Amino acid sequence: LELTYQQPFTFLPQPFDGFGVLANLTLSDSEGTVNGERQALQGQSDVTYNLVGYYERGPFAARAAWSYRDEFFVGTDDGEPFFIDDRGQLDISASYDVTDNISLTADILNVNSEDQFTFYDRNGTVLNRAFQDQGRVFVFGVRSQF
């Protein structure tokens, strides 16, 4: 099941008419068999959602996006299934059109510095497989169109 909602706030007076929101939710309940055990399909979370707030008016655009997904099955090590834990991440981006053909861009990915935890689930006992401190990523750029 997938639900999506998008609402530009064009009914607001200027300059607030550039605000808007996007949201989506995906619910999934699919399973397969791995080593005789029923579990979710590889790479598929039961719950995934995104919530985006944005502003686009004139030469300036900005958005903040929160993305979340439940834990999901990744693969097996010597026949033992392992998973990536649930995680939520905030990303922020902005751009400014210097001319009709050139834009300056800035992105901050994983603002909340969410880590990634990979684990084994042995009959309800969680055992660490890997921990990644993913940190924030800053990206600055110039975009050109011809």
Side-chain angles (χ1 to χ4, degrees):
L1 172 68
E2 183 169 300
L3 304 171
T4 302
Y5 178 77
Q6 180 174 350
Q7 178 67 58
F9 298 145
T10 54
F11 55 86
L12 293 175
Q14 289 184 6
F16 305 106
D17 58 344
F19 284 104
V21 68
L22 306 158
N24 66 55
L25 168 69
T26 302
L27 303 174
S28 177
D29 187 23
S30 297
E31 293 182 335
T33 302
V34 175
N35 297 331
E37 292 185 35
R38 301 286 296 165
Q39 60 190 35
L41 296 178
Q42 188 174 19
Q44 185 173 358
S45 297
D46 289 344
V47 177
T48 304
Y49 66 85
N50 298 286
L51 180 59
V52 180
Y54 67 87
Y55 183 81
E56 296 176 357
R57 183 145 174 69
F60 181 72
R63 54 182 57 218
W66 176 260
S67 301
Y68 171 83
R69 74 182 293 185
D70 267 350
E71 70 181 45
F72 59 95
F73 169 66
V74 179
T76 59
D77 279 340
D78 295 326
E80 188 170 8
F82 63 93
F83 305 83
I84 291 182
D85 202 8
D86 63 323
R87 64 188 308 264
Q89 177 172 316
L90 177 64
D91 298 329
I92 297 174
S93 64
S95 67
Y96 182 79
D97 296 335
V98 179
T99 69
D100 289 341
N101 298 36
I102 299 174
S103 299
L104 302 176
T105 64
D107 299 294
I108 306 172
L109 308 175
N110 199 16
V111 172
N112 56 321
S113 197
E114 182 74 7
D115 299 323
Q116 182 172 293
F117 176 58
T118 306
F119 66 94
Y120 300 102
D121 183 352
R122 291 188 183 150
N123 300 321
T125 301
V126 175
L127 301 171
N128 183 34
R129 179 178 182 272
F131 177 82
Q132 295 175 333
D133 180 355
Q134 297 188 320
R136 288 177 203 86
V137 176
F138 297 86
V139 180
F140 301 96
V142 177
R143 187 175 329 145
S144 175
Q145 62 185 25
F146 302 96

